Amino acid sequence: SSSVMNISEHLSCPLGFGHYNAVDICILETVVIVLLTFLIIAGNLTVIFVFHCAPLLHHYTTSYFIQTMAYADLFVGVSCLVPTLSLLHYSTGVHESLTCQVFGYIISVLKSVSMACLACISVDRYLAITKPLSYNQLVTPCRLRICIILIWIYSCLIFLPSFFGWGKPGYHGDIFEWCATSWLTNAYFTGFIVCLLYAPAAFVICFTYFHIFKICRQHTKEINDRRARFPSHEVDAAGEAGHSPDRRYAMVLFRITSVFYVLWLPYIIYFLLESSRILENPALSFLTTWLAISNSFCNCVIYSLSNSVFRLGLRRLSETICSSC
């Protein structure tokens, strides 16, 4: 009970109107954070191991970006150990502000990497479908590695001004008291992040997937016309072999992207409203933050349910672990 009382004193419990209610809310917040931390770490470790155990997954150039997202999401889970441990060992003084700033910066950078990777994946699929003959010359392993390095550098630089007092990098649902009371958002810095990160990534994704599915519909229409004119098995086989795999894989990646923005949209909206001083609600802050962070686990679920090659690799990994046990 003493540890629970300690938690209630130091955590910002948004829904607590009375002392016991505050304790209950703090316990609920603790359960949510600990559960998400465990799921994110376990899920992304599984994805990383499956990619190493399933050579067929490396045939897709997007596997570079998928693995980068998996590592970024894994680091998100590891970073979430900071608030998890702070629930039991609360630190005060200057270390609290430093820990808060570093934690908020790292979380923002990691999610920026995921967002940029999703945009790059959409561009990669767009090139694969629109320029199939020159795709292998345009997209090479060396260029992919350079692109991933640039993503990490850009993500680290764009949130760096927050260390010099220019706003908050976007982390809400504050666990530390200093983050909630002393580190405030700034409308100009928020606009800076939106213009240089959120808006360009969303525009690129919308543009590329719109044209990808438009082209896929045109291919489907052409195949149906050929079937009507020349009802032969060769036409069916050629059409299905040429376009169905690309379309199915594009759908898997589109689901991942859609879930990402569905979970992050409430967070981004609240981020904008709080920065403009229109809305400040600790309960919404906590819910939108950890809803967005839960995306780091959802990527694993979507990919495992949607990709047959990944499921095969996961089954082989499970068989290997079971046989060794």
Side-chain angles (χ1 to χ4, degrees):
S1 59
S2 60
S3 62
V4 172
M5 297 289 288
N6 188 34
I7 291 173
S8 66
E9 290 176 2
H10 295 296
L11 288 181
S12 54
C13 301
L15 302 180
F17 296 101
H19 178 71
Y20 293 103
N21 194 16
V23 172
D24 293 339
I25 294 300
C26 285
I27 294 174
L28 179 61
E29 290 181 1
T30 304
V31 171
V32 170
I33 295 171
V34 172
L35 181 62
L36 277 179
T37 301
F38 172 77
L39 291 176
I40 290 171
I41 293 176
N44 286 284
L45 279 176
T46 303
V47 171
I48 292 169
F49 284 134
V50 168
F51 266 93
H52 285 291
C53 296
L56 288 176
L57 286 170
H58 296 282
H59 293 174
Y60 298 103
T61 55
T62 50
S63 65
Y64 288 86
F65 296 111
I66 294 291
Q67 289 183 79
T68 302
M69 288 174 56
Y71 280 107
D73 290 335
L74 175 63
F75 292 145
V76 168
V78 173
S79 300
C80 288
L81 289 174
V82 175
T84 302
L85 295 175
S86 72
L87 300 177
L88 300 177
H89 304 285
Y90 184 81
S91 59
T92 57
V94 67
H95 297 293
E96 181 188 351
S97 61
L98 181 61
T99 304
C100 176
Q101 286 182 312
V102 172
F103 178 60
Y105 174 78
I106 290 175
I107 289 290
S108 299
V109 167
L110 293 174
K111 298 318 297 180
S112 172
V113 169
S114 295
M115 193 174 295
C117 283
L118 289 173
C120 290
I121 286 173
S122 67
V123 173
D124 176 84
R125 290 299 88 197
Y126 177 78
L127 293 175
I129 291 178
T130 58
K131 300 181 183 298
L133 298 179
S134 58
Y135 174 77
N136 290 330
Q137 287 74 35
L138 291 173
V139 182
T140 62
C142 181
R143 290 179 179 176
L144 288 172
R145 293 188 185 97
I146 292 173
C147 182
I148 291 171
I149 292 173
L150 291 176
I151 286 173
W152 280 98
I153 294 174
Y154 183 78
S155 299
C156 290
L157 291 177
I158 195 173
F159 291 102
L160 201 58
S162 63
F163 276 107
F164 301 97
W166 192 31
K168 201 174 183 178
Y171 175 69
H172 299 284
D174 303 303
I175 299 301
F176 300 101
E177 186 69 21
W178 188 89
C179 286
T181 59
S182 302
W183 199 16
L184 302 178
T185 53
N186 183 287
Y188 295 106
F189 183 70
T190 302
F192 172 78
I193 297 297
V194 170
C195 292
L196 293 184
L197 178 62
Y198 296 154
F203 174 78
V204 168
I205 288 170
C206 292
F207 175 85
T208 52
Y209 277 113
F210 172 79
H211 285 84
I212 286 171
F213 290 115
K214 182 180 178 181
I215 292 169
C216 287
R217 281 198 303 269
Q218 291 175 351
H219 288 330
T220 303
K221 185 178 179 182
E222 291 174 2
I223 292 171
N224 291 333
D225 291 341
R226 289 179 186 177
R227 287 174 179 172
R229 294 178 183 178
F230 310 102
S232 65
H233 296 289
E234 294 180 358
V235 173
D236 293 346
E240 291 176 0
H243 304 299
S244 293
D246 284 337
R247 185 176 183 179
R248 285 197 298 268
Y249 195 59
M251 280 299 300
V252 173
L253 300 173
F254 180 71
R255 291 189 193 106
I256 293 175
T257 305
S258 300
V259 171
F260 181 91
Y261 276 94
V262 166
L263 294 177
W264 272 83
L265 189 59
Y267 169 84
I268 295 173
I269 292 174
Y270 181 82
F271 184 28
L272 293 170
L273 294 176
E274 186 184 272
S275 300
S276 304
R277 302 296 181 265
I278 297 175
L279 176 64
E280 291 187 14
N281 189 306
L284 286 177
S285 175
F286 179 84
L287 292 175
T288 55
T289 296
W290 293 96
L291 182 67
I293 291 177
S294 69
N295 175 257
S296 297
F297 171 70
C298 293
N299 288 341
C300 316
V301 177
I302 298 169
Y303 208 73
S304 61
L305 293 177
S306 303
N307 191 288
S308 58
V309 179
F310 184 88
R311 290 197 300 270
L312 178 61
L314 182 61
R315 189 172 65 195
R316 288 178 178 175
L317 177 64
S318 302
E319 291 174 353
T320 303
I321 294 174
C322 291
S323 61
S324 63
C325 293

